[in-house]
Amino acid sequence: METELFVHFAEIAGVFVGFGALISQRSTRPSDSHDLVYLRAVLAIGVWVVIAALLPIAVSRYGVPADLLWRSCGVVVLAVWILYVVSLARSTDSKAVSRSAERMDQLFPIVGLPLHIVIAGSLLLVIVGLWPALDAALYITALTAAVIFAGYTLLMQVMNQKHEPDASRP
């Protein structure tokens, strides 16, 4: 197992979590549903990548065989992914954004949905064990897609932010 690679994934995800925390601190009371939904998503994806990247490192220390390592980690991180997706989708703010007529919200699924499919599909293939020789590659594919998803979500958050006009400016 390439431990350094997984540590780097966790580091990259930590940057997204940090950006999300910085954004939330900067806007002390984000009242806009868009800001809340995208911020929660960036933080959830970032934390998920940290979990998914560090779990195989921790589990491998117990001498677990490779096929069981990837399968067990795949089950855990897919369950966490589904939990995040369901909890984010069920929030009142997410429901409001999904009904939004704003162009950016309508375009989000064009990239977001394929990334969800890559993440869940890769992990399902690992869990099923269809191609055991590719389990590590499929797991890394899910991590890579999640990092891309976090970056895309952060970009959408920034592009979608509503700014109040500054009263001090003419």
Side-chain angles (χ1 to χ4, degrees), residues 27-69:
S27 51
T28 55
R29 293 190 67 201
S31 58
D32 186 10
S33 291
H34 294 88
D35 292 346
L36 289 171
V37 168
Y38 288 110
L39 178 62
R40 286 177 186 153
V42 168
L43 291 172
I45 296 167
V47 169
W48 182 87
V49 171
V50 170
I51 292 167
L54 296 179
L55 187 61
I57 295 171
V59 173
S60 71
R61 298 295 185 237
Y62 292 96
V64 176
D67 61 328
L68 184 58
L69 169 73

Side-chain angles (χ1 to χ4, degrees), residues 47-160:
V47 169
W48 182 87
V49 171
V50 170
I51 292 167
L54 296 179
L55 187 61
I57 295 171
V59 173
S60 71
R61 298 295 185 237
Y62 292 96
V64 176
D67 61 328
L68 184 58
L69 169 73
W70 297 117
R71 193 165 292 139
S72 61
C73 290
V75 167
V76 170
V77 298
L78 182 60
V80 173
W81 181 260
I82 291 169
L83 178 71
Y84 278 168
V85 169
V86 169
S87 65
L88 288 171
R90 292 182 56 133
S91 77
T92 306
D93 294 315
S94 291
K95 290 176 184 176
V97 170
S98 68
R99 290 188 301 268
S100 172
E102 294 203 27
R103 184 135 175 88
M104 295 305 273
D105 294 330
Q106 293 173 347
L107 294 175
F108 186 83
I110 292 172
V111 174
L113 183 59
L115 289 170
H116 273 295
I117 292 169
V118 168
I119 293 164
S122 296
L123 292 172
L124 279 172
L125 288 172
V126 168
I127 293 166
V128 170
L130 194 57
W131 298 297
L134 296 177
D135 284 350
L138 289 165
Y139 193 91
I140 290 169
T141 300
L143 281 171
T144 303
V147 168
I148 293 167
F149 201 174
Y152 175 65
T153 305
L154 184 59
L155 176 66
M156 290 293 104
Q157 179 185 10
V158 170
M159 293 179 71
N160 224 1

